[in-house]
Amino acid sequence: MIDHLEAARALDDIEDITRRVRQSQLYRLSSLLMILWGALVLAGNLVTYLTPVYADKAWLAVYGLGIAGSLVLGATEKARSGMGSFDVRSLLAFLMFFAFGFFVETIGHFGPRQMGAFWPIYFMLFYCLAGLWFGIAFTIFGLGVIVLTLVGYVFIGPAFPLWMAVVNGGGLILGGLWMRRS
Amino acid sequence: MAELDEIIHQPLRLRIMAALNALPAGTGLEFVRLKKLTGATDGNLGAHIETLARAGYVMVDKAFVGKKPQTTVTLAAPGRAAFARHVAGLQEIIAGAAAKPPEP
């Protein structure tokens, strides 16, 4: 027979490991999403830098493929782990996220350079917020990309899309690989 | 009266069971992931998984993913039930202590 202090310690242990398992599942899906978006964003920035005339079409393709890919990955992960991850609410959240972004971009009359800085910062804001609930790794990563984006916006000239290909695209891919190991 | 499971009560086995219980029924965890989550060593984890498997609480599945061997551990239905009883027992102990009048 154990006393109530030992019993409380055991329950704390159970709660701790349950939280870690859920966080690990979340990190696993997030890492896949980050690698997907990283590759797409890298491609989008390279097209913007090399052939600016196709930039609009390239970014529409990035967003379309990104959303579709995210839903497929979410469904695949759900089938593998049995844990609910993506549903209609997730799709609506994505749509609202992009609708608000486009709204701000339109009323702000952003040029290509401003858009190149706005979208990653806006995207990373959600990583920073997610980190407050789901693990500090998200916040650290989000803040890192925001700072590097601002550095590029202020100090890098015409090669800004290239900078963003590395910082945002490469950052997402590396962040995803790192999160996979966490 | 609180009923604690002697097999589950051991700290590492409790952590293994808690980790597997956090997943939906029929879903397992790879040995490597379980090792990371519980902070156990290979040998220690293997021995405790074997104890749980002998009790019928977990199922161990060994397969090859590509050329790499992969061991997956899944909570069996009797294990899930035993874990629920164990947790209820722990809660009962705490509730019992809270209900006791303070000693003078």
Side-chain angles (χ1 to χ4, degrees), chain B residues 15-37:
Chain B
R15 291 177 77 76
I16 295 169
M17 293 293 284
L20 297 173
N21 187 64
L23 300 168
T27 309
L29 274 175
E30 299 91 15
F31 187 88
V32 186
R33 213 153 186 90
L34 203 49
K35 189 179 136 190
K36 207 172 201 174
L37 286 163

Side-chain angles (χ1 to χ4, degrees), chain A residues 11 13 17 20 24 81 181, chain B residues 15 18 27 33 36-37 94:
Chain A
L11 285 175
D13 223 16
I17 199 131
R20 290 178 59 191
S24 145
S81 72
R181 295 174 60 89
Chain B
R15 291 177 77 76
T27 309
R33 213 153 186 90
K36 207 172 201 174
L37 286 163
I94 293 170

Side-chain angles (χ1 to χ4, degrees), chain B residues 61-79:
Chain B
D61 178 46
K62 293 183 182 188
F64 275 87
V65 176
K67 285 180 181 171
K68 276 187 177 176
Q70 190 178 68
T71 303
T72 306
V73 187
T74 311
L75 194 59

Side-chain angles (χ1 to χ4, degrees), chain A residues 154-182:
Chain A
V154 175
F155 296 109
I156 308 285
F160 182 58
L162 263 190
W163 172 264
M164 289 313 297
V166 174
V167 166
N168 197 18
L172 278 166
I173 293 171
L174 285 179
L177 292 173
W178 170 63
M179 205 167 261
R180 214 172 161 74
R181 295 174 60 89
S182 306

